[in-house]
Amino acid sequence: MKCFKAYDIRGRVPDELNADIAYRIGRAFARAVGEGDVVVGYDIRLDSPTFAAEVARGLMDEGRNAIDIGLCGTEEVYFQTAHRGVAGGIMVTASHNPIDYNGMKLVREDARPISGDTGLRDIERMVEDDAFGDAVAARGTLRRDHDKTAYIQHLLAYIDVSALKPLKIVVNAGNGGAGAIVDLLESHLPFTFVRVNHEPDGRFPSGIPNPLLPENRDATARAVVASGADMGIAWDGDFDRCFLFDAQGKFIEGYYIVGLLAAQMLEKHKGARIIHDPRLTWNTVEMVESAGGIAVQSKTGHAFIKERMRAEDAVYGGEMSAHHYFRDFAYCDSGMIPWLLVAERIGKTSTSLTDMLVERMAAYPCSGEINFRVEDAASTVAQIVEHFRAAAASIENVDGVSMSFGNWRFNLRSSNTEPLLRLNVEARGEATLMEEKTEALRRLIGGTPA
């Protein structure tokens, strides 16, 4: 089925994903996971409550009890699944996809991800076969529990609230779900929040919330400058990613936040292991090793990162795409914990976000991720490798291809979720070199910028 992807479920409504398919997913999920209740939550898209209700109906027809946690973020389903010790969780969300899309993210016990090689294909087959039959005699029940108290207290446990300074912070929820959590946190924190696109609205009056796109950053940047804020935060629709802006309204590449958070977590967990993705690495590895930690590289993608974190018992994992994972958060990604940690660091060090990162950004300038649509991704990658092979000091194939040349490196990989090639380039202290090599790679890759 077209809506089943490598890591999750996403498709255009109603031809690729609809209420009937949602019901069948509920029934298939019940057969795919262990015994116990199932948490169900949903994002702000207009059809998400309907899809969540159909998922719950499918679960109940299989004899499962469904716990409806209501409008929430993906990380709340992760948290509630682990916190309650239930069989699994289903989040109805399409995150930053177009307005006519919806989807689901699935986890089993302890919020372990269900992806292509850990059960998602089995669920897909059952949904396609649609051979479920009548509902079981001992039908399950639906319980609504929208209390977020335990989740909010868990978020606050990551920081020393007494060390916080009274910062002014721009928060841009993108009309997604993050605003409600900011409101619940507010009474516990000494911050003044400047709210932008704060109210949840599945019509997306300000556009699809995806701050990774440069055109979606202006509203946050302008608000930071206009209000004289200390920092800005923007989230995607289901707020499992957060994006930071400094006091000048400058967008901070997620790559540098990974190193910052790694060092901060290592202050609290001496000698711990840190997981990172292969796209941009030098700054992260240096910051981890300088802080006495062990840097471990993993293939890109939440399922791979979470699996490696559990295997290594890593305290933190970070991807340059603004996914940040925490051991004490069931090894899952959160869009709330990172900005709280950064705010704590500002308070403890009396240092701005700019000053924290200016040396790191100068030491390892990077291109940010550049996407290309090409006719034959595999052939394009092979041609790039052949072009640079003779000059390369090292070649790695952990995820796509990473080639290093002493003072610069690049990673080129096919997207796991979209028909794209993704390029990242970094250099050692030479922004001009990074820019020159990025442009050279652009020309060699060709294709259409995406």
Side-chain angles (χ1 to χ4, degrees), residues 16 19 34 40 71 89 116 141 143 161 172-173 197 365 383 393 395 431:
E16 295 178 352
V40 180
L71 179 65
T141 62
R143 176 161 62 93
V161 175
N172 184 350
N197 301 324
Q383 290 171 20
I395 302 175

Side-chain angles (χ1 to χ4, degrees), residues 109-175:
E109 78 283 350
D110 299 324
R112 294 173 181 265
I114 297 176
S115 57
D117 55 356
T118 57
L120 192 59
R121 298 283 81 84
D122 295 331
I123 292 172
E124 180 182 13
R125 281 190 289 272
M126 285 188 275
V127 170
E128 285 181 335
D129 293 343
D130 192 17
F132 300 107
D134 295 334
V136 300
R139 193 169 181 269
T141 62
L142 177 67
R143 176 161 62 93
R144 291 180 173 84
D145 186 350
H146 296 183
D147 185 3
K148 299 180 187 290
T149 303
Y151 166 66
I152 295 297
Q153 291 301 317
H154 184 86
L155 295 181
L156 293 169
Y158 286 84
I159 57 172
D160 178 0
V161 175
S162 67
L164 301 176
K165 298 286 179 63
L167 305 176
K168 180 184 285 188
I169 302 176
V170 167
V171 287
N172 184 350
N175 299 117

Side-chain angles (χ1 to χ4, degrees), residues 185-206:
L185 286 168
E186 186 172 28
S187 64
H188 302 278
L189 305 169
F191 305 146
T192 299
F193 292 115
V194 178
R195 292 167 167 83
V196 177
N197 301 324
H198 194 71
E199 297 302 319
D201 189 339
R203 297 168 297 179
F204 301 121
S206 301

Side-chain angles (χ1 to χ4, degrees), residues 245-266:
F245 297 73
D246 68 13
Q248 288 72 49
K250 181 180 178 181
F251 177 82
I252 305 297
E253 288 287 348
Y255 174 39
Y256 303 108
I257 302 300
V258 172
L260 188 69
L261 292 179
Q264 191 166 349
M265 294 300 291
L266 286 165

Side-chain angles (χ1 to χ4, degrees), residues 39-43 48 52 67-73 77 89-93:
V39 166
V40 180
Y42 54 87
D43 72 6
S48 289
I67 304 172
D68 169 18
I69 65 171
L71 179 65
C72 65
V77 168
I90 301 175
M91 175 66 183
V92 178
T93 180

Side-chain angles (χ1 to χ4, degrees), residues 212 217 244 250-258 280 320 322 357 361 366-369 424:
L212 205 55
R217 301 171 187 169
L244 302 183
K250 181 180 178 181
F251 177 82
I252 305 297
E253 288 287 348
Y255 174 39
Y256 303 108
I257 302 300
V258 172
L280 296 167
M320 56 155 291
L357 295 173
M361 294 166 72
C366 73
S367 63
E369 193 153 82
N424 285 277

